Amino acid sequence: MKANAVGEAPVKVTLRNGGYDETEYLAAISAGVHSAYTVDNAYVVITSADGTVKGPINDAAAETLKAAKTAAETAVKQAVATKLKMSVADLENASPEVQAMVAAMVQSVRNAKSMSALAAALGVPADTQISVDSSTGALTLKDAEDKTVTLNPDGIKTEDENGNTVETIKPSDVAPVDTITEALVDGKLTKDVNLASTATISEATVIDMNGHTITGPESGNVFTVSSGSLTLTNGKISVAERQNGIALGGTGAVVNLTDVDISVDSNTSGRALYVSPVGGEKLNIKGGSFSVAGQTSALHVNGTNTLPVEITIDGAEFTSTYATICPIYLAGVNKTTISNTTINGDVGIEIRNGSLTIEDGTVINCTNSTAVEFGPNGNGGTIDSGAGIVVSPHTPATVNLSVKVNAVTINNADRPIWLVNFQNVAGRTGLVQIAKTVDVPVTVNQVTKAEAGAGVWTAEENAAGNYNRYNFSQAAAPQA
């Protein structure tokens, strides 16, 4: 991973811990399990682009061991800050895992009794010359070809063999900013963004996230698209608890996502994608992942909208890790098409209004196979677990239900496709068509918590054509 978030940097900063590589170590820090990785072995390695200069320190060319250790301590902090995209001052407020890592590195430097011991503590070779500027504390490394890397408290500077500065990298160059505008250059993000407030979209907006992360504010959505369009590619969105990643909130609003990952890691009510009661929006998803750990779905279409929402999902992944919560909940008027997508949760999809078409390549993995009813629900799902696709008419529905399944694989579900009705939905009808090539069991009704007078689903006997057909009518006899 390059130290500079903009373009190709001549310096590579790597965090290591004993036998663990950088990916494993950073993952452990992020997951809060740093204690599993012995902090005594933590160190930073800094390498020039061609791999010839390695550091941060090692040789007896240093003026004194004391000066070298002081410079090394500063260099370690600066290198870690640059790697983690924060300022050196921010290290004091970093997570306990990061602070433990930095403290272990600094302590290993302080404990060194010789230059060779210092080199060993930092895990670097013994053939790089080092000099220390006593007035600034800068640490300079020079290889056999006279290429140098200088580590200052303010940044990392690389020079060629003629002493010409190639590039200077400062922690502030890669530290997150609090508005998208600050990080945007020619339509591309150049660094991570920690939003101080919601980014409201009201005109055509295109952002290449360029591999970066946008973290939402503590209060408010990450994006609210009230009109116009938002097109995002190649990045991540991290959502605060009880907030939404992207909220579509205006007729005609359009959101296009390509290879975008949105995660809500808290176990409260934040959603990755939310369609408001307004209706009339469009959502197009190509690739990416959408995950929630809380009590609402990753994709939630509000059940009170009256204008249809058009949703196309291709090649994505939706996950809910909270028990009883389905990753995709389609309560309002919608026209949704899903293909080549993986869905993980106790229930995969629940549709209560509008239309849904499922195409080739869609896989639903139920994380709890046991079929469990929630029952009548005016504000959420009606099945808690054990079903891949649930079709359950909604009381505020304004159009008739239509579901067509052309292809699907459903794993670990007692009732892979479950057609239910718990409530009086006066005047509503429904049609579910399942291709005869789809070898997935269908459960019709078989609920115990339906309200009196609730309609039922019935299977068409010997349905002609390529589909098995199931019809819903409120006028049918009540369920027993």
Side-chain angles (χ1 to χ4, degrees):
M1 183 173 183
K2 295 293 175 63
N4 189 355
V6 187
E8 290 294 314
V11 177
K12 179 179 180 181
V13 178
T14 307
L15 298 179
R16 292 186 60 82
N17 187 309
Y20 298 102
D21 65 20
E22 178 182 60
T23 300
E24 293 174 315
Y25 195 42
L26 289 176
I29 294 170
S30 176
V33 292
H34 180 273
S35 59
Y37 298 79
T38 307
V39 296
D40 293 341
N41 293 329
Y43 59 92
V44 172
V45 175
I46 298 176
T47 311
S48 66
D50 59 7
T52 56
V53 177
K54 296 183 178 180
I57 186 171
N58 83 330
D59 193 78
E63 296 174 10
T64 65
L65 176 60
K66 181 179 179 180
K69 288 167 65 173
T70 300
E73 182 175 328
T74 299
V76 161
K77 291 179 180 178
Q78 187 276 327
V80 173
T82 300
K83 184 64 182 182
L84 299 181
K85 301 179 181 179
M86 60 178 65
S87 68
V88 174
D90 287 340
L91 288 177
E92 295 181 1
N93 299 316
S95 68
E97 291 74 29
V98 170
Q99 292 189 47
M101 175 184 68
V102 173
M105 290 180 178
V106 169
Q107 192 59 48
S108 67
V109 168
R110 292 176 179 174
N111 289 343
K113 304 301 183 183
S114 65
M115 293 301 293
S116 59
L118 185 56
L122 295 170
V124 296
D127 57 358
T128 302
Q129 293 184 353
I130 176 173
S131 60
V132 180
D133 186 323
S134 58
S135 62
T136 65
L139 189 72
T140 298
L141 316 170
K142 181 180 291 188
D143 69 5
E145 298 178 1
D146 291 334
K147 297 176 182 177
T148 65
V149 175
T150 300
L151 297 101
N152 298 290
D154 295 330
I156 303 173
K157 181 175 72 173
T158 300
E159 298 177 347
D160 62 19
E161 60 274 15
N162 297 317
N164 300 314
T165 299
V166 177
E167 190 165 1
T168 300
I169 307 167
K170 299 180 180 180
S172 59
D173 293 335
V174 292
V177 293
D178 59 12
T179 67
I180 292 173
T181 303
E182 292 177 80
L184 203 61
V185 176
D186 296 331
K188 289 186 176 183
L189 290 184
T190 59
K191 58 184 69 178
D192 290 349
V193 179
N194 292 342
L195 287 175
S197 60
T198 296
T200 300
I201 305 299
S202 58
E203 60 185 10
T205 303
V206 179
I207 301 173
D208 179 351
M209 297 178 71
N210 196 27
H212 290 286
T213 298
I214 298 176
T215 299
E218 293 184 4
S219 176
N221 305 321
V222 182
F223 288 96
T224 294
V225 185
S226 57
S227 60
S229 62
L230 173 64
T231 299
L232 299 177
T233 59
N234 186 30
K236 297 180 180 180
I237 294 175
S238 179
V239 185
E241 63 180 59
R242 301 186 184 278
Q243 310 303 326
N244 302 306
I246 300 176
L248 289 81
T251 301
V254 178
V255 171
N256 304 303
L257 305 176
T258 301
D259 296 330
V260 174
D261 301 331
I262 304 180
S263 63
V264 187
D265 296 328
S266 64
N267 64 348
T268 55
S269 57
R271 310 170 184 91
L273 300 165
Y274 176 66
V275 181
S276 78
V278 177
E281 302 95 342
K282 292 184 179 180
L283 173 61
N284 303 305
I285 298 171
K286 180 71 174 179
S289 64
F290 306 86
S291 63
V292 291
Q295 303 170 39
T296 52
S297 301
L299 168 58
H300 183 122
V301 177
N302 186 280
T304 61
N305 67 338
T306 56
L307 296 174
V309 177
E310 295 184 23
I311 301 173
T312 302
I313 302 170
D314 183 22
E317 183 170 11
F318 286 78
T319 300
S320 171
T321 59
Y322 194 94
T324 76
I325 298 298
C326 61
I328 298 179
Y329 181 65
L330 307 173
V333 184
N334 71 96
K335 182 180 180 181
T336 299
T337 301
I338 301 175
S339 58
N340 302 307
T341 291
T342 300
I343 302 166
N344 311 297
D346 282 6
V347 173
I349 304 168
E350 181 162 339
I351 179 169
R352 308 198 65 188
N353 198 353
S355 68
L356 168 66
T357 301
I358 299 180
E359 302 287 4
D360 287 347
T362 299
V363 177
I364 300 174
N365 301 308
C366 291
T367 47
N368 183 348
S369 64
T370 304
V372 177
E373 303 170 39
F374 178 88
N377 194 351
N379 187 29
T382 60
I383 298 298
D384 280 347
S385 62
I389 301 170
V390 174
V391 186
S392 178
H394 203 351
T395 48
T398 56
V399 299
N400 296 319
L401 267 168
S402 175
V403 176
K404 181 177 283 188
V405 180
N406 291 316
V408 71
T409 298
I410 300 177
N411 300 314
N412 195 43
D414 284 352
R415 298 177 179 178
I417 299 177
W418 198 356
L419 313 183
V420 301
N421 182 50
F422 291 94
Q423 296 163 283
N424 281 300
V425 285
R428 297 280 75 81
T429 63
L431 173 63
V432 173
Q433 301 180 81
I434 301 175
K436 293 181 178 179
T437 55
V438 175
D439 185 20
V440 174
V442 179
T443 301
V444 180
N445 307 314
Q446 295 191 26
V447 297
T448 62
K449 298 181 180 181
E451 296 174 346
V456 295
W457 291 89
T458 56
E460 286 189 16
E461 297 293 336
N462 302 314
N466 297 322
Y467 294 88
N468 293 313
R469 296 161 60 92
Y470 303 82
N471 295 283
F472 171 79
S473 174
Q474 177 61 37
Q479 295 169 305

